[in-house]
Amino acid sequence: QVQLVEAGGGLVQPGGSLTLSCAASGFTLDYYAIAWFRQAPGKEREGVTCIGSSDGRTWYGDSVKGRFTISRDNAKNTVALQMNSLKAEDTAVYYCAAGLGSLVRACLEEYEYEYWGQGTQVTVSS
């Protein structure tokens, strides 16, 4: 079966760091663009970051630029999200998503992605 599974969420203090992982099974990530989205209670889902399938280009939302880094390891069929200098407003459920790289034109848009993980909770609080 085709699945994406997130891991690494948890409770972290403001200013701290956390790394999330997204592991694919049933398909190979090599030809897919991968994105991270997040949704906080009462707020719309927003694009956090994405990485292309061909040249590894990355894009970041303004709210996380300079603090978050996305990377991929095709050999391990995984994608990671390194989060630094975390703020309370980063608290959300984080989802990874995959879409065929040849079809994705706007990689921070939710509608571009076919496969989604179930999400992992990140809570930033003292």
Side-chain angles (χ1 to χ4, degrees), residues 54-121:
S54 58
D55 58 5
R57 291 178 62 190
T58 58
W59 292 262
Y60 294 90
D62 290 340
S63 64
V64 306
K65 191 172 298 182
R67 299 188 298 120
F68 290 11
T69 303
I70 187 172
S71 62
R72 67 191 304 154
D73 188 338
N74 287 342
K76 297 180 180 178
N77 215 27
T78 60
V79 174
L81 178 64
Q82 175 64 228
M83 304 184 293
N84 301 132
S85 302
L86 284 163
K87 307 173 181 178
E89 50 263 44
D90 295 318
T91 296
V93 177
Y94 284 71
Y95 302 88
C96 67
L100 279 171
S102 62
L103 301 179
V104 172
R105 298 174 63 87
C107 72
L108 288 177
E109 295 292 338
E110 183 177 350
Y111 66 80
E112 295 277 12
Y113 296 92
E114 179 180 3
Y115 303 118
W116 290 78
Q118 64 182 356
T120 185
Q121 176 72 48

Side-chain angles (χ1 to χ4, degrees), residues 22-41:
C22 176
S25 62
F27 72 109
T28 300
L29 288 175
D30 300 46
Y31 308 108
Y32 286 79
I34 310 296
W36 288 93
F37 293 84
R38 68 185 183 185
Q39 187 167 24

